[in-house]
Amino acid sequence: MFDLKTFKQKSPQQRFLLILGLVMFAFYLVLGVTLIAWKDMPVTLERNYRIALGVLLIVYAAIRFARVTKQKAD
């Protein structure tokens, strides 16, 4: 899954892209959880749509995380 040895062997560009991928994963995950949990949002959305969008963002975050962790060392 994640090997510290291959992390050290990557070029600076590959390390940057790995870290950026992890940051974007965290962003989408937090955004999805926030949409589900926040009751008094400034933007009015029905509860069902808000939950659906939150779940969709969490699934997308999981897909991004899977792609980041499955990248092979070049």
Side-chain angles (χ1 to χ4, degrees), residues 3-32:
D3 187 14
L4 189 60
K5 193 179 282 187
T6 58
F7 181 74
K8 289 181 181 178
Q9 293 174 354
K10 291 185 177 191
S11 70
Q13 180 184 9
Q14 288 174 329
R15 270 185 275 174
F16 173 74
L17 291 175
L18 174 69
I19 293 169
L20 182 64
L22 292 175
V23 166
M24 291 307 295
F25 154 72
F27 173 74
Y28 284 119
L29 183 67
V30 169
L31 185 63

Side-chain angles (χ1 to χ4, degrees), residues 3-73:
D3 187 14
L4 189 60
K5 193 179 282 187
T6 58
F7 181 74
K8 289 181 181 178
Q9 293 174 354
K10 291 185 177 191
S11 70
Q13 180 184 9
Q14 288 174 329
R15 270 185 275 174
F16 173 74
L17 291 175
L18 174 69
I19 293 169
L20 182 64
L22 292 175
V23 166
M24 291 307 295
F25 154 72
F27 173 74
Y28 284 119
L29 183 67
V30 169
L31 185 63
V33 170
T34 302
L35 276 175
I36 292 172
W38 194 2
K39 301 218 185 269
D40 299 327
M41 280 184 22
V43 179
T44 56
L45 279 174
E46 287 186 32
R47 185 173 188 266
N48 293 338
Y49 293 130
R50 193 179 53 188
I51 291 173
L53 182 58
V55 169
L56 186 68
L57 285 170
I58 292 171
V59 168
Y60 182 64
I63 292 169
R64 287 188 66 99
F65 183 72
R67 290 189 68 200
V68 165
T69 57
K70 287 188 179 184
Q71 288 180 349
K72 295 184 180 181

